[in-house]
Amino acid sequence: MRLGVLDVGSNTVHLLVVDAHPGACPLPAHSHKAELRLTELLDADGAIGPGGTDQVIRVIHEALRAAEDKGVEELLPFATSAVRDARNSGEVLERVRVETGVELQVLTGAEEARLTFLAARRWFGWSAGKLLVIDIGGGSLEIAFGIDEEPDAAVSLPLGAGRLTGTRLPGDPPAPDDVRALRRHVRAEIGRTVGEFSRLGPPDHVVATSKTFKQLARIAGAARSTEGPYVPRELKYQSLEGWVARLSAMTTTERAALPGVSESRAGQLVAGALVAEAAMDLFGVESLEICPWALREGVILRRLDRMGPA
């Protein structure tokens, strides 16, 4: 069947259309994406204002038209941290339901971590052993660890690259004092969770998902996206550590000129790099591999599992 996953995230509203059936690899057929940056549309009270909700509804309508054009049989709509954490989340969801007919499922942070972990496990397979999976989104950071398809430990922290940039790095380039303060904050938040994972022993394989990690790996020398998803892409802590200070001293325009860095995400890259560096350092990760699959694929795989065998 042709499935559509509608991901209302902190940075984008993304429709991914796949051809799928149980037991087979879901094949991407179409991708429709609209930049929204919901974390930047929150007011001083942490609510998504009427104008922001109007934008959400507009891009969902566009995604629905694209899904119809591509012959989507079933739509799996969900929202992540920006909607989840908004003070008026219920009001936003109701307006979306009334005006678009879409009932967004709001995933918890733990659900995000578990579904992303499932996608990474299916991509790398059982031979990867115990997996540590790290995902940096626009609104939150998810970390999961385990040997099965369900992780033994999973946490979600409010350390998304977009959220941190908007609240803690106002300058362009950011002031050195702000960068140091954010570094301390990120490391304190992640440090509280390390013990929960350490008791489970060391991982056999460490992987990362998300646009942030893909961009960091690319500027550190990983293969271009045009070379396809099956080319191994690695990010070494030593390389990342050297790039953090350089990225912090650059303007958004200068970062956007780096290989693999999109103009829309360049402003968030310093915060994302600080989170990535802290996670790799505190978990003792010298090198990790980039996983092409993430949350959207995890949602698809879970849906296919519930369909049963072909």
Side-chain angles (χ1 to χ4, degrees):
M1 66 186 305
R2 180 156 279 199
L3 291 173
V5 177
L6 181 60
D7 175 2
V8 180
S10 299
N11 283 315
T12 61
V13 174
H14 190 170
L15 170 72
L16 176 65
V17 178
V18 299
D19 291 320
H21 66 267
C25 176
L27 298 174
H30 180 69
S31 177
H32 176 88
K33 189 183 300 184
E35 294 286 341
L36 197 58
R37 300 187 191 179
L38 272 177
T39 51
E40 297 178 10
L41 299 177
L42 299 175
D43 62 24
D45 296 324
I48 300 173
T53 306
D54 289 343
Q55 292 189 51
V56 173
I57 290 169
R58 174 181 56 80
V59 296
I60 288 178
H61 274 303
E62 293 173 358
L64 290 175
R65 286 193 292 272
E68 180 180 337
D69 290 344
K70 297 303 176 182
V72 168
E73 299 173 60
E74 181 179 345
L75 189 68
L76 308 173
F78 67 89
T80 55
S81 62
V83 173
R84 178 174 70 235
D85 298 337
R87 185 179 56 79
N88 61 335
S89 175
E91 298 172 18
V92 173
L93 293 171
E94 179 61 13
R95 270 200 64 192
V96 169
R97 185 190 67 81
V98 170
E99 298 186 34
T100 69
V102 171
E103 292 197 27
L104 289 173
Q105 177 189 0
V106 180
L107 299 179
T108 66
E111 287 172 333
E112 283 191 58
R114 288 197 294 268
L115 288 165
T116 303
F117 183 88
L118 171 64
R121 169 59 74 195
R122 294 281 178 91
W123 181 268
F124 289 104
W126 298 113
S127 63
K130 291 187 288 186
L131 275 181
L132 175 64
V133 179
I134 308 170
D135 178 271
I136 302 172
S140 59
L141 162 72
E142 276 73 45
I143 306 169
F145 178 95
I147 196 168
D148 299 318
E149 291 199 335
E150 281 289 327
D152 298 310
V155 299
S156 178
L157 302 172
L159 298 177
R163 181 196 300 269
L164 295 178
T165 301
T167 58
R168 292 178 175 268
L169 292 180
D172 187 24
D177 286 347
D178 289 338
V179 173
R180 283 192 293 270
L182 178 56
R183 185 178 186 275
R184 289 193 298 269
H185 170 71
V186 166
R187 286 174 174 263
E189 288 288 312
I190 296 175
R192 295 191 187 103
T193 72
V194 172
E196 182 178 348
F197 293 86
S198 297
R199 63 182 176 79
L200 299 171
D204 298 310
H205 199 60
V206 183
V207 302
T209 68
S210 76
K211 190 73 169 179
T212 293
F213 270 113
K214 290 176 182 176
Q215 292 184 339
L216 292 171
R218 178 71 187 98
I219 64 175
R224 295 180 176 88
S225 59
T226 54
E227 296 184 38
Y230 301 110
V231 177
R233 293 172 174 85
E234 185 182 42
L235 177 61
K236 294 182 180 294
Y237 175 74
Q238 186 176 9
S239 298
L240 174 61
E241 189 180 28
W243 269 102
V244 171
R246 295 172 64 182
L247 291 170
S248 301
M250 292 179 177
T251 64
T252 299
T253 301
E254 290 169 334
R255 280 179 238 126
L258 294 171
V261 178
S262 64
E263 185 176 350
S264 62
R265 300 293 183 95
Q268 303 179 8
L269 197 56
V270 173
L274 288 169
V275 174
E277 180 196 35
M280 292 182 73
D281 186 20
L282 293 170
F283 281 92
V285 176
E286 294 183 5
S287 177
L288 54 76
E289 190 170 353
I290 305 301
C291 179
W293 281 3
L295 177 59
R296 284 181 289 275
E297 287 78 11
V299 170
I300 292 167
L301 292 167
R302 181 64 75 225
R303 175 67 184 89
L304 293 177
D305 288 347
R306 289 172 180 161
M307 289 173 63

